[in-house]
Amino acid sequence: MANTKRPDETGKTGPGDQDEPEFRDDDLERRRRQLEASLATRRPDGSASREGAKSSGVAGYGQALKLSSEFIAGIAVGVGLGWVIDRMAGTSPWGLIIFLLLGFGAGVLNVLRSVGVVADTGPRVPKKGPEDRDIT
């Protein structure tokens, strides 16, 4: 039979850390409550329910489906236009290649606009700041 005592004969299988305090369940529970309280004060609405987590997962899938469909639609429209131009002008395969690349660029631009990285095109109206006020 194997002897459970170590060479220092403490009877423990690990190192002899007898001077270190042991963490108890109540201490860990108190620290967990403090962490939850500090996180609750930092949340914008103060309440995070499991339903909110489930709905954000569904919203994430919806956003992914939207972005992927916009990207694929840009490429499909480019390929379709290129094919039609090749058939009408007899320039096969150059129209298809050029409009495929243009469709890829348009798909990437659509995805970036949906995400909000690139601003929508249109007239830009200068914002009135504190220094631009009318003084009359």
Side-chain angles (χ1 to χ4, degrees):
M1 234 158 149
N3 189 1
T4 59
K5 292 188 177 185
R6 305 282 294 172
D8 60 357
E9 297 185 7
T10 59
K12 295 183 180 179
T13 58
D17 295 332
Q18 299 165 349
D19 297 334
E20 293 183 17
E22 293 182 17
F23 288 105
R24 305 234 183 245
D25 289 339
D26 55 346
D27 183 41
L28 293 175
E29 184 67 25
R30 179 186 53 81
R31 291 173 61 195
R32 187 188 60 83
R33 283 190 203 126
Q34 285 177 342
L35 178 63
E36 284 181 357
S38 66
L39 290 176
T41 59
R42 294 182 185 182
R43 288 186 186 126
D45 59 356
S47 65
S49 63
R50 294 188 190 272
E51 294 174 7
K54 288 180 183 177
S55 66
S56 67
V58 172
Y61 287 128
Q63 182 74 10
L65 185 63
K66 175 186 171 189
L67 294 177
S68 63
S69 65
E70 287 182 0
F71 181 67
I72 292 171
I75 293 174
V77 167
V79 166
L81 284 174
W83 184 77
V84 167
I85 288 174
D86 278 343
R87 288 290 178 186
M88 295 177 108
T91 59
S92 183
W94 295 107
L96 181 67
I97 292 171
I98 290 172
F99 278 92
L100 172 69
L101 294 175
L102 287 175
F104 181 80
V108 169
L109 185 62
N110 285 338
V111 168
L112 291 176
R113 281 186 187 154
S114 292
V115 172
V117 175
V118 177
D120 290 331
T121 59
R124 293 188 178 178
V125 178
K127 295 180 181 179
K128 288 191 173 187
E131 61 274 349
D132 294 339
R133 291 184 187 161
D134 291 337
I135 303 175
T136 53

